[in-house]
Amino acid sequence: MGKDVIIACDFASKDACLTFLDKFTGRKPFVKIGMELFYAEGPEIVREIKKRGHRIFLDLKLHDIPNTVKKAMSVLSNLDVDMCNLHAGGTVTMMQAGLEGLTRADGTRPLLIAVTMLTSTDQESMENDLLIKEPIDKVVMHYAHNAMTAGLDGVVCSPLEAGKVHELCGKDFVTVTPGVRFADGDVGDQKRVMTPAEAKKIGSDYIVVGRPITAAEDPVAAYERCVAEFCD
Ligand code: C5P
């Protein structure tokens, strides 16, 4: 699995995002487009960024009845994104339907990864709100295993979980990990963080990095630093 740095383009508008991407005149980074930008600008933003030569992780975290997810995934597949995701909490059947919808007539498809338990959910809220009484680590691993059973390519997880996910689901099962910070950088609102070098050591396949790059004085230099620490 080729290691790569994915920049979280958490911008509110197309203009802000494209102004940011204009700075990258050399290597074209793999970018993540999330709900905010996609809902603000629609599918056109995906086409525009794709046209500029970037690979795209479309982070829309689908979760609905299997038939709806299947049809929505088939639309995303036509957008020619490189990676997209859904919630493992939607069940194995929903994940299988998503995979089916994503697969094009010629058998090709973007990578499909699952969100296990959101990092904003903790043991207490999981027990009280979702009535799931098992330890959260166990739930995360169970959801990862369900994603593998459904035929998905991997999961989004904390870099701290990446090693365990590989142990359970195999080294080819992709781990995409946010929560990355430079050793000398601001942690911000992230609670459990790792440096790109640590994420590499623990076996993350892709790191998703937002503010350490987007808010840097020199975003291109910050991106190259991430690549040097994580990929080289
Ligand atoms: O700016 P920062 O590096 O914290 O951005 C991390 C990105 O990864 C954001 O787009 C955030 O929504 C996403 N993410 C996360 N934690 C998760 C899942 C996604 O930080 N558990």
Side-chain angles (χ1 to χ4, degrees), residues 20-70:
F20 169 76
L21 292 178
D22 279 343
K23 298 181 202 292
F24 294 83
T25 51
R27 195 197 315 240
K28 299 277 184 190
F30 200 140
V31 303
K32 177 170 91 71
I33 300 175
M35 292 184 202
E36 184 187 11
L37 189 57
F38 189 79
Y39 292 153
E41 302 290 350
E44 200 42 45
I45 186 71
V46 174
R47 294 192 190 98
E48 176 66 34
I49 294 176
K50 195 75 200 171
K51 206 163 66 193
R52 289 166 167 240
H54 296 271
R55 279 165 300 149
I56 298 178
F57 168 21
L58 192 54
D59 179 19
L60 298 182
K61 301 186 178 71
L62 276 65
H63 190 167
D64 208 316
I65 59 170
N67 185 54
T68 302
V69 169
K70 180 177 168 180

Side-chain angles (χ1 to χ4, degrees), residues 8 10 32 119 156 178 181 190 208-212:
D10 295 323
K32 177 170 91 71
T119 45
V156 184
R181 291 295 180 265
Q190 292 284 10
V208 175
V209 188
R211 289 158 293 177

Side-chain angles (χ1 to χ4, degrees), residues 66-159:
N67 185 54
T68 302
V69 169
K70 180 177 168 180
K71 290 185 168 167
M73 280 297 180
S74 133
V75 175
L76 299 187
S77 178
N78 287 333
L79 273 181
D80 198 22
V81 296
D82 299 277
M83 185 188 288
C84 47
N85 60 0
L86 42 65
H87 274 282
T91 75
V92 170
T93 306
M94 188 205 79
M95 289 192 272
Q96 284 167 334
L99 195 64
E100 219 181 298
L102 201 60
T103 308
R104 305 180 185 107
D106 65 1
T108 63
R109 62 169 175 81
L111 285 177
L112 183 59
I113 58 171
V115 175
T116 55
M117 193 57 73
L118 289 171
T119 45
S120 50
T121 306
D122 60 11
Q123 185 72 35
E124 196 188 345
S125 53
M126 194 184 70
E127 287 188 14
N128 294 342
D129 301 352
L130 308 179
L131 280 185
I132 300 173
K133 304 291 185 187
E134 300 285 345
I136 194 159
D137 298 1
K138 190 175 165 192
V139 176
V140 167
M141 289 305 144
H142 181 66
Y143 282 18
H145 196 266
N146 282 352
M148 188 182 69
T149 304
L152 267 65
D153 302 295
V155 288
V156 184
C157 62
S158 128

Side-chain angles (χ1 to χ4, degrees), residues 177-223:
T177 61
V180 173
R181 291 295 180 265
F182 292 122
D184 53 0
D186 251 357
V187 171
D189 54 357
Q190 292 284 10
K191 297 217 162 49
R192 301 183 304 151
V193 298
M194 261 193 195
T195 65
E198 285 166 341
K200 174 186 181 179
K201 212 150 96 197
I202 212 152
S204 297
D205 297 299
Y206 295 89
I207 51 173
V208 175
V209 188
R211 289 158 293 177
I213 296 175
T214 55
E217 216 165 286
D218 184 345
V220 178
Y223 169 70

